[in-house]
Amino acid sequence: MSLLDGIREKVTASLSEWIKISDPKSNWTIEEFAKINYNESLIIPHCVDCIIVNQCWFKNEENKKPDEFDYSKCPEIPLEKRGLYHPDCHDKKITISNPKPNDIIVFDLERRMDYLFNKKKNWIVAMGYNEEEKNEVFQLLEKLSKESYCQGNYKNNPPSDEKKKYGFRIRINLQFPGKREKLGKIYQITSSYIVYPNGKLKNNTPIGGWN
């Protein structure tokens, strides 16, 4: 790629509504990293910060994508070494079409429903649902999560440094409909996810809190 092509690519990506982060020199992603139990010694010379977002999709807005390296604090670093997330970083922002709900795959949500109904049953009951409606609640959470993510209705949810290697976390805002005596009410709740490659979202917490 010529210098002019590289500049054109960066400008196009900066104007895009959605981007994919891509490292052309690494096949490592959070998906592959999870398969080796997040063993950092096995990904050398690649870094955790890069591989956990490699091939992932983000709304191209502040607080909805990984923070880029602030070179204003390190003006001595030459331009040719100024990578996206750190000096000599190979990651690039690539323009992608705005995702649609059918493009998104949510996983690990269904297996967390028992936890939700055991630990946060009062939330479910408060919104008008009962234990026999676990599948209905699951389907609603899945549908609303896909829709809200595609609308960019989410924010970064940074973990502690020691948990950063487990993936890039986001908190999706959901408008959850009430039922029975709560019919007509809309509850502003959040659901927590880890962004995985190519439109996959791994659920961490079905209902993380009130929005």
Side-chain angles (χ1 to χ4, degrees), residues 136-151:
E136 181 180 354
V137 172
F138 159 70
Q139 291 179 345
L140 274 169
L141 286 170
E142 181 181 48
K143 174 178 179 291
L144 294 172
S145 294
K146 290 181 178 183
E147 291 174 350
S148 288
Y149 172 71
C150 291
Q151 292 163 4

Side-chain angles (χ1 to χ4, degrees), residues 36-209:
I36 60 168
N37 200 28
Y38 311 98
N39 187 337
E40 296 179 52
S41 67
L42 297 180
I43 66 170
I44 295 172
H46 304 289
C47 75
V48 169
D49 288 352
C50 291
I51 70 167
I52 65 171
V53 296
N54 191 20
Q55 306 304 317
C56 293
W57 301 351
F58 299 99
K59 179 75 170 174
N60 194 18
E61 295 178 4
E62 189 175 357
N63 295 323
K64 297 181 182 181
K65 61 182 179 179
D67 292 332
E68 297 177 25
F69 192 90
D70 184 2
Y71 288 99
S72 67
K73 298 178 181 179
C74 307
E76 71 280 4
I77 297 176
L79 291 176
E80 64 271 17
K81 288 186 171 292
R82 296 188 179 190
L84 196 57
Y85 301 124
H86 57 80
D88 293 319
C89 175
H90 300 127
D91 282 339
K92 299 179 182 299
K93 293 185 290 187
I94 297 176
T95 297
I96 61 171
S97 300
N98 294 7
K100 298 177 175 59
N102 286 342
D103 299 325
I104 308 304
I105 296 173
V106 167
F107 67 103
D108 269 14
L109 174 61
E110 188 171 13
R111 76 179 184 89
R112 296 185 186 277
M113 296 308 293
D114 286 340
Y115 163 83
L116 174 63
F117 275 77
N118 288 334
K119 300 296 184 180
K120 294 188 176 179
K121 179 182 175 182
N122 57 319
W123 289 56
I124 303 301
V125 172
M127 294 188 290
Y129 297 83
N130 60 44
E131 288 189 69
E132 285 69 47
E133 293 165 329
K134 186 182 298 184
N135 190 57
E136 181 180 354
V137 172
F138 159 70
Q139 291 179 345
L140 274 169
L141 286 170
E142 181 181 48
K143 174 178 179 291
L144 294 172
S145 294
K146 290 181 178 183
E147 291 174 350
S148 288
Y149 172 71
C150 291
Q151 292 163 4
N153 192 12
Y154 72 87
K155 288 186 178 180
N156 296 353
N157 185 27
S160 57
D161 286 343
E162 63 268 20
K163 291 186 177 181
K164 183 172 61 174
K165 68 179 183 179
Y166 298 115
F168 190 89
R169 299 187 184 197
I170 61 173
R171 183 169 289 169
I172 300 179
N173 302 320
L174 308 179
Q175 295 187 339
F176 202 88
K179 194 174 181 180
R180 295 188 175 85
E181 72 278 5
K182 303 301 175 64
L183 188 65
K185 289 189 176 183
I186 299 295
Y187 294 89
Q188 306 290 337
I189 62 174
T190 65
S191 190
S192 298
Y193 287 87
I194 293 175
V195 182
Y196 264 56
N198 300 311
K200 295 179 184 177
L201 297 173
K202 179 182 179 180
N203 186 262
N204 261 358
T205 309
I207 296 179

Side-chain angles (χ1 to χ4, degrees), residues 12-45:
T12 301
S14 70
L15 298 175
S16 176
E17 286 191 46
W18 280 81
I19 55 172
K20 176 171 75 172
I21 304 302
S22 178
D23 183 348
K25 296 190 176 184
S26 173
N27 292 322
W28 285 104
T29 67
I30 182 61
E31 199 164 29
E32 301 305 317
F33 194 30
K35 291 176 182 177
I36 60 168
N37 200 28
Y38 311 98
N39 187 337
E40 296 179 52
S41 67
L42 297 180
I43 66 170
I44 295 172

